[in-house]
Amino acid sequence: MFLSVFDVFKIGVGPSSSHTMGPMSAAVRFLHEILHGDWPRPSSAQVARIRVSLHGSLAFTGIGHGTGRAVILGLTGETPDQVDPDRMDAIIDGVERKMRIEPAGHPTYAFDPAQDLIFDRKQPLAGHANGMAFLALDRDDRVLLRRVYYSIGGGFVLSEEELAAKDRARPSTSNRPVPFPFATANEMLEMASRSGLSIAEMKRANEEIFVDAAELDRGLDRIWMAMDGCIERGLGQDGIMPGGLKVKRRARAIHQKLEDDWQRNTVNPLLANDWLSVFAMAVNEENASGGRVVTAPTNGAAGVIPATIRYYLKFHHDADPRSIRDYLLTAAAIGGLIKHNASISGAEVGCQGEVGSAAAMAAAGLAALMGGTPAQVENAAEIALEHHLGMTCDPVGGLVQVPCIERNALGAVKAVTAASLAMKGDGTHFVSLDACVETMRQTGLDMNERYKETSTGGLAVNVVEC
């Protein structure tokens, strides 16, 4: 089983990897299908209109998550990693005004968002909670092409056929064999023991089957630059976040107070926790506002890993910025195992799969940088994930704001605590990471759909919207 570090960490835009980045990518993929797909094209018929229906979680919380906006952007040819956040409103306004889309290389298609973008809460699609149906119609509204896609978390998109074939293990990666094909944490530890390599070194060897070392390092540095830039943007912004809940950004004001206390050398026993929290909140406030973020492993959990890295750089006197590459490789190895054996999608398993996975990845990466053995790294990941088991996904108003922003802050605190606990031991522990991941999978299956990113249970129905 191989999932690239660049599949785990994707640069895109907020507020949700499954509700924003996935649908945008699906729309781009449908455009490609129209021109290049293998489907019967009647000689006299031409695609004149496109219609999209959103189902399941995408229908229930898609408005708050910006799913409709993402679909429109994708249908104009914009991709999550390349779209300019400052131009998105203008692009969408143009489509709404003209009621047409004009993707490069295509003829113009009719598309009226008020009529052709349907949030269908009554009819879920069978394959996954995040389902989308794209239709290409002729001038008489006859269906020429229909494709169903599923946004399965972390920005990954599978077609109906791919999902049925259970192709999740390799959503975008070549099938070429890798030197360390671990599919479970136990296999990972066995390979590390036999080879004498760290988890990061094994992951690097796998990655270098597909890219050379210099390209890999450039890609890892680009991921960290995007994460770090997101923290800085979040720390520099204030005001009300969009969506109607009137939730204020808090990271800037908290950061200023922490800076003032830092300059005065004010004694604060919670200092590290406070900095962790503000770094994570800065990222997720930026995500909630539609800014550029990195899936880590999802947008809803995007703050945990960057916050933990910034904590490491600020509080560990021997921190080497170049070691961030090993952090990301280690974290990606753990994230790949969780995705392969369970899920990172809130719509599938609740927030244990999002913030819980992010905390496990962050704890593993930090333990590795602290000199942990592979067994200690695996232990750190297990501790962090174990203490997120059962966490529901119940965003108020369908927005990635409450409780998501603070939840990332606490996820980062748990990650650092888990790494510290693991480093106090020798790697021997009672519950294995594999057992914990399987427990998360089973818990997700048992969890009521109201608590899986539908905003129909939990805080989403018990908090009065202002």
Side-chain angles (χ1 to χ4, degrees):
M1 190 280 296
F2 176 74
L3 195 67
S4 171
V5 64
F6 303 117
D7 290 327
V8 176
F9 297 114
K10 298 187 185 72
I11 299 174
V13 292
S16 170
S17 50
S18 60
H19 285 60
T20 307
M21 291 172 59
M24 192 186 303
S25 298
V28 172
R29 186 168 173 179
F30 185 65
L31 290 177
H32 184 269
E33 278 285 302
I34 290 175
L35 289 186
H36 306 292
D38 183 17
W39 57 280
R41 295 170 171 80
S43 57
S44 61
Q46 291 185 331
V47 176
R49 176 181 296 276
I50 290 177
R51 186 167 294 150
V52 183
S53 58
L54 305 172
H55 301 262
S57 176
L58 297 182
F60 280 101
T61 62
I63 294 176
H65 283 75
T67 306
R69 290 168 54 85
V71 169
I72 294 171
L73 289 167
L75 289 176
T76 65
E78 298 286 351
T79 60
D81 62 328
Q82 296 294 327
V83 64
D84 182 352
D86 294 330
R87 291 188 59 246
M88 292 193 299
D89 287 344
I91 295 171
I92 292 166
D93 288 344
V95 172
E96 291 176 340
R97 186 177 64 257
K98 296 177 182 178
M99 295 188 290
R100 306 193 71 78
I101 52 174
E102 301 170 328
H106 289 252
T108 298
Y109 303 123
F111 184 81
D112 177 3
Q115 301 293 327
D116 296 318
L117 184 58
I118 302 163
F119 291 82
D120 187 348
R121 298 187 176 189
K122 295 182 179 179
Q123 185 63 46
L125 298 178
H128 189 278
N130 294 331
M132 301 160 277
F134 287 76
L135 282 72
L137 311 170
D138 66 11
R139 295 186 183 278
D140 297 318
D141 267 4
R142 291 176 297 193
V143 177
L144 301 178
L145 173 66
R146 181 179 185 269
R147 289 287 185 265
V148 171
Y149 301 103
Y150 295 101
S151 180
I152 63 171
F156 290 103
V157 172
L158 295 179
S159 70
E160 190 173 33
E161 295 75 19
E162 289 165 344
L163 192 71
K166 301 188 184 301
D167 196 30
R168 298 185 185 207
R170 303 178 187 270
S172 62
T173 302
S174 168
N175 287 327
R176 275 187 284 173
V178 294
F180 301 102
F182 50 83
T184 67
N186 186 54
E187 290 178 358
M188 178 182 72
L189 293 178
E190 289 178 352
M191 290 180 188
S193 177
R194 289 199 303 267
S195 67
L197 299 177
S198 69
I199 294 170
E201 288 170 334
M202 292 192 299
K203 182 65 175 164
R204 176 175 284 276
N206 287 346
E207 296 287 340
E208 290 180 359
I209 295 296
F210 304 94
V211 297
D212 63 37
E215 184 179 352
L216 175 60
D217 285 340
R218 285 193 298 269
L220 293 170
D221 293 345
R222 180 170 176 255
I223 289 168
W224 168 235
M225 288 175 61
M227 288 179 172
D228 194 43
C230 186
I231 292 175
E232 290 303 313
R233 287 194 308 275
L235 293 177
Q237 303 293 323
D238 53 21
I240 304 296
M241 287 176 283
L245 291 184
K246 300 180 182 178
V247 176
K248 293 182 179 179
R249 287 183 182 246
R250 292 180 288 163
R252 181 178 180 178
I254 295 172
H255 179 250
Q256 187 59 60
K257 186 176 187 310
L258 289 174
E259 283 284 11
D260 292 343
D261 290 346
W262 187 270
Q263 295 298 324
R264 290 195 297 265
N265 291 319
T266 302
V267 176
N268 177 4
L270 296 176
L271 189 63
N273 283 355
D274 290 344
W275 281 98
L276 268 169
S277 297
V278 78
F279 291 148
M281 290 172 65
V283 171
N284 285 85
E285 287 177 357
E286 191 66 16
N287 178 62
S289 301
R292 188 172 301 286
V293 298
V294 179
T295 62
T298 66
N299 284 27
V304 177
I305 285 174
T308 310
I309 296 175
R310 279 287 289 263
Y311 154 84
Y312 166 74
L313 294 175
K314 189 174 186 69
F315 286 95
H316 288 249
H317 69 276
D318 58 345
D320 180 356
R322 291 174 298 181
S323 65
I324 294 171
R325 297 168 182 168
D326 286 342
Y327 178 111
L328 293 173
L329 288 167
T330 304
I334 299 301
L337 291 177
I338 295 172
K339 179 170 176 57
H340 176 67
N341 294 297
S343 176
I344 59 170
S345 169
E348 284 189 317
V349 296
C351 199
Q352 58 176 350
E354 296 204 29
V355 172
S357 296
M361 295 163 65
L366 183 58
L369 297 196
M370 294 166 66
T373 65
Q376 288 172 315
V377 169
E378 183 262 359
N379 188 16
E382 186 281 322
I383 293 170
L385 182 59
E386 179 182 343
H387 297 289
H388 284 87
L389 290 177
M391 182 176 284
T392 61
C393 183
D394 50 354
V396 176
L399 299 168
V400 192
Q401 296 179 15
V402 180
C404 316
I405 294 170
E406 289 181 354
R407 189 167 283 177
N408 274 258
L410 272 293
V413 171
K414 286 185 180 181
V416 171
T417 303
S420 181
L421 281 173
M423 292 301 294
K424 300 295 190 293
D426 62 0
T428 304
H429 53 289
F430 190 75
V431 179
S432 70
L433 178 58
D434 286 333
C436 193
V437 171
E438 174 59 17
T439 301
M440 185 182 78
R441 187 190 71 82
Q442 294 175 8
T443 303
L445 290 174
D446 292 339
M447 190 179 290
N448 191 289
E449 295 300 317
R450 293 196 302 271
Y451 305 111
K452 296 182 182 180
E453 211 170 1
T454 60
S455 288
T456 57
L459 286 177
V461 298
N462 287 297
V463 175
V464 178
E465 297 179 27
C466 302

